[in-house]
Amino acid sequence: MKIKSIKAYHVVQPFVDGPYRMSKGRVADCFDAVIVAITSDSGVTGWGEMAPLGNFYSAAFPAGTRAGVPEIAPHLIGHDPRGLAGIGRLMDTVFKGHPYIKAALDMACWDLAARAADVPLVTMLGGRESETAELYRVVTHGTVDQMAALAKRIVAEGCRRVQVKVGGNVGDDIERVTAVASAMPKGTVIFCDANAGWTPYQARQFADATRGIDYTSEQPCTTIEENMSVRRMLDKPMVLDESVTSLQEMLEIHRRGAADGLTLKISRLGGVTQTRLIRDVAVDLGFMITVEDTGGAEIDTAAMAHLSLSTPEERRLHAIAFHEWVTVRTASNKPPVTGSRMGIPDGPGLGIDVVPDLLGKPFFEIG
């Protein structure tokens, strides 16, 4: 089997609930996605998606992805898409760095390989550990009243796991989290995610003032060393997200004892190949794991669901249903969500049926 053709589409995905707000005034109105279709000489097509959250969230940014895919794609023509490790090495050889650009191409190869084998992707990722994964919802940055109201709405809709965006003015964040915690029933799982928005000084201020609230601290500061300095005085679990950029960084986090859990972003790591590798090693090292991404619709969410459900349930934190965040559709089916849990679609590969007509005209095509 050989790769015969590659197409890439640019799909803007506006948010259902309006702007997504994070600390330091960072705001996004949509996921700005690149969707890739890789077709083999046997007629099987695999799909991949990469959708940055604006230009500010990480090194991944929309225009960079659109520029990079046409640089890499021609080198993949004629290669066996099932040789996933080799595809990864080839992309790293012809295009240095920028793993986010490679993520959609890697994902499409995994989907194609699983479809060609007529098995769901979860089977190739280690096997299905459970039928569904527990979902969390996000309480985005806003006023105290806005965040408390959103928290109440999320709970009323049946979700019992929330991520509260912090990382701004510490005094305001203390007030926000206190109000959100008071608005939710006892037993609601709370993650306070600063998106690396604090200095260690600010993070310690927040931790000291909120000792009476049950939550997990997520990426309070930028570097592993800064987060480690906060962890030394913290009496709560810590999860790192932005710090997990490679296998080497994950191993450094483990060596330092800098976190209890990790959030793995598919695009940040360069695709399904590296995410699976880091996930498996991290599980063996004892970390709790969340597998998600920087954004996307049905394609990317399906990949997240397959990686989540092939993670041992006792090591899995939760998942997120990004396809429910956006107003556009890219497929005729989607990862099924029932209540506060998400499964995977039936069928080989990612299990979804992408509708090319919903994607518009490709901005790049070869083969």
Side-chain angles (χ1 to χ4, degrees):
M1 181 186 292
K2 306 295 182 183
I3 295 174
K4 182 179 181 180
S5 66
I6 301 175
K7 296 179 182 180
Y9 304 83
H10 176 212
V11 182
V12 175
Q13 302 167 351
F15 295 137
V16 171
D17 292 327
Y20 182 87
R21 302 183 186 278
M22 296 165 55
S23 60
K24 297 185 175 180
R26 293 173 285 181
V27 182
D29 297 315
C30 63
F31 293 135
D32 196 333
V34 167
I35 291 175
V36 170
I38 297 182
T39 301
S40 70
D41 54 5
S42 59
V44 181
T45 297
W47 293 90
E49 180 176 21
M50 187 275 169
L53 183 61
N55 290 326
F56 53 80
Y57 180 64
S58 65
F61 65 102
T65 308
R66 294 194 298 274
V69 167
E71 296 292 328
I72 298 172
H75 297 278
L76 304 184
I77 299 296
H79 288 270
D80 190 336
R82 299 168 298 181
L84 297 157
I87 289 289
R89 290 193 297 270
L90 175 61
M91 289 196 288
D92 288 342
T93 298
V94 303
F95 200 93
K96 186 176 177 62
H98 301 284
Y100 60 91
I101 295 174
K102 303 162 187 174
L105 294 162
D106 176 83
M107 187 185 296
C109 286
W110 275 90
D111 184 34
L112 198 163
R115 289 178 190 270
D118 196 29
V119 296
L121 182 58
V122 70
T123 301
M124 294 181 59
L125 293 173
R128 190 167 185 155
E129 294 280 346
S130 65
E131 291 301 308
T132 58
E134 187 74 19
L135 294 169
Y136 77 91
R137 302 261 305 267
V138 180
V139 180
T140 59
H141 240 254
T143 67
V144 171
D145 289 344
Q146 287 171 337
M147 293 179 72
L150 178 54
K152 289 179 181 178
R153 191 185 91 193
I154 288 171
V155 168
E157 292 171 355
C159 186
R160 291 295 183 268
R161 303 181 74 89
V162 298
Q163 182 193 76
V164 184
K165 291 299 183 184
V166 291
N169 178 278
V170 175
D172 292 341
D173 282 333
I174 293 167
E175 190 176 356
R176 290 182 181 109
V177 170
T178 301
V180 168
S182 298
M184 295 184 296
K186 185 178 180 180
T188 303
V189 176
I190 301 173
F191 278 60
C192 290
D193 184 11
N195 292 115
W198 284 324
T199 64
Y201 181 88
Q202 292 170 318
R204 284 191 283 271
Q205 282 183 306
F206 179 84
D208 188 59
T210 56
R211 289 184 186 276
I213 301 173
D214 185 12
Y215 66 85
T216 294
S217 178
E218 184 166 357
Q219 194 75 37
C221 307
T222 302
T223 68
I224 295 174
E225 183 59 41
E226 288 173 335
N227 287 301
M228 189 65 214
S229 74
V230 176
R231 180 165 166 77
R232 291 189 186 102
M233 57 78 62
L234 193 66
D235 61 353
K236 302 180 187 303
M238 182 178 285
V239 168
L240 292 182
D241 178 347
E242 284 88 342
S243 291
V244 191
T245 60
S246 66
L247 176 62
Q248 290 72 24
E249 290 294 298
M250 185 275 289
L251 292 173
E252 180 68 5
I253 291 167
H254 176 258
R255 185 185 71 81
R256 289 173 174 258
D260 304 288
L262 307 172
T263 298
L264 307 181
K265 300 283 176 68
I266 298 172
S267 61
R268 180 177 289 141
L269 299 173
V272 174
T273 301
Q274 287 299 313
T275 304
R276 184 207 179 179
L277 170 63
I278 294 169
R279 187 270 313 267
D280 288 349
V281 176
V283 164
D284 284 346
L285 291 175
F287 285 108
M288 298 297 292
I289 299 295
T290 298
V291 179
E292 55 181 65
D293 210 342
T294 54
E298 289 89 352
I299 299 168
D300 208 1
T301 304
M304 293 187 289
H306 282 271
L307 280 159
S308 292
L309 291 178
S310 57
T311 302
E313 193 165 16
E314 66 272 16
R315 291 294 177 189
R316 185 194 312 143
L317 281 170
H318 42 218
I320 192 163
F322 276 144
H323 64 293
E324 295 192 331
W325 287 34
V326 298
T327 62
V328 300
R329 298 273 67 85
T330 60
S332 60
N333 59 342
K334 57 189 177 183
V337 173
T338 303
S340 62
R341 301 189 69 88
M342 179 169 68
I344 55 177
D346 292 330
L350 290 172
I352 57 171
D353 300 310
V354 178
V355 181
D357 288 347
L358 296 175
L359 309 181
K361 185 179 178 180
F363 71 85
F364 169 80
E365 185 172 358
I366 187 169

